[in-house]
Amino acid sequence: MLSPKPVGRDAAARKYDIITALGAYALAGGKHDHRLVLRFITLVTARYNWARNELAVGQREIAQLWSVDERTVKREMAKLRGCGWLVVKRQGARGRVTEYGLDLDAILEKTRPQWPQVGPDFDLRMQGAPEPTRVVPLPVRGTAPTPPVEGGSEWALAQAMLHAEDAGVYGSWLHNLTRQDRAGGRVTLQAPSRFHGAYVQTHLTTRVLAALQAVDSDVSEVVITA
């Protein structure tokens, strides 16, 4: 599951994911859920310290933020504590407000049923699974022609398969690869630029190798040069 504490390079995205999960949970419920979660999201967005897991704000200030009276604040904060989303870290005393923390594990567990409703990519991300790499075709002028297969090399035959699978990706990234060398099971393909070669090596090597092996089972490796 998603790391409960949103820290590190992707912290901002994880915060948005948690807020999204809360919103989806509220919208799947009734009007009372809508109001409670909207108030909770507003409070968290305005006053919660993610790095320190600290929410220290007085009831009067919360009442002003929510446009309600302090009696309503007490009731709603009690509900949030009751569902386990808010936990008391330090009880308030004279001249000091109560300090709360968020139980992000409880929030994630409560909102889990709504993750698929946001989308399969969101569901996978919240579960901590890597998202599938999406290959974005570059704009090309015209349409890359279907490669000839008569008397062609293993690469020409593989190109025909790759074109049939996805003409857009083929035209953007694979059409301009040329067969440079064959040494045993290794096929070396040359890209028109270093960037082009690096992109194919990172995102499309598995696809290229599978196509080559489909037409020649002796192929065991693909090398992309520029």
Side-chain angles (χ1 to χ4, degrees):
M1 191 165 64
L2 181 77
S3 174
K5 189 174 182 181
V7 295
R9 185 180 60 183
D10 299 324
R14 285 198 284 270
K15 294 173 188 176
Y16 280 116
D17 283 344
I18 292 169
I19 297 299
T20 300
L22 284 166
Y25 168 80
L27 292 170
K31 63 180 181 180
H32 298 296
D33 295 314
H34 297 174
R35 186 167 54 192
L36 177 63
V37 178
L38 177 59
R39 287 170 174 168
F40 181 59
I41 289 174
T42 305
L43 181 60
V44 168
T45 304
R47 292 290 180 261
Y48 178 60
N49 186 318
W50 293 90
R52 297 172 57 182
N53 186 25
E54 180 181 280
L55 178 64
V57 56
Q59 291 183 359
R60 182 178 300 176
E61 188 177 356
I62 297 174
Q64 182 176 342
L65 177 65
W66 289 353
S67 298
V68 297
D69 55 32
E70 293 185 37
R71 184 176 180 180
T72 301
V73 171
K74 291 180 181 179
R75 184 181 66 247
E76 298 290 82
M77 295 294 279
K79 289 180 183 178
L80 293 170
R81 290 173 59 183
C83 65
W85 293 2
L86 278 183
V87 293
V88 175
K89 297 177 64 176
R90 188 176 64 178
Q91 190 64 49
R94 182 174 298 178
R96 187 182 66 194
V97 301
T98 300
E99 182 180 311
Y100 297 95
L102 268 58
D103 188 336
L104 294 177
D105 284 323
I107 292 172
L108 294 176
E109 190 60 36
K110 190 72 171 179
T111 60
R112 182 191 292 270
Q114 279 69 51
W115 297 351
Q117 296 176 18
V118 180
D121 56 331
F122 182 85
D123 189 22
L124 285 172
R125 188 165 65 248
M126 293 296 282
Q127 293 182 45
E131 294 183 57
T133 300
R134 179 173 179 265
V135 178
V136 180
L138 286 174
V140 292
R141 292 184 178 180
T143 302
T146 303
V149 297
E150 296 81 4
S153 65
E154 77 287 308
W155 174 232
L157 296 173
Q159 280 183 300
M161 292 181 58
L162 292 165
H163 179 277
E165 289 175 1
D166 192 327
V169 170
Y170 171 80
S172 297
W173 298 105
L174 305 176
H175 172 60
N176 291 327
L177 297 180
T178 58
R179 184 180 187 274
Q180 187 178 46
D181 187 37
R182 169 75 182 264
R186 175 186 294 177
V187 176
T188 301
L189 304 174
Q190 185 169 16
S193 69
R194 183 175 297 179
F195 168 78
H196 195 118
Y199 188 92
V200 173
Q201 186 75 50
T202 301
H203 298 285
L204 295 170
T205 300
T206 301
R207 189 182 301 189
V208 170
L209 179 60
L212 283 165
Q213 290 177 332
V215 299
D216 187 341
S217 59
D218 291 332
V219 176
S220 58
E221 182 182 3
V222 176
V223 177
I224 310 295
T225 63

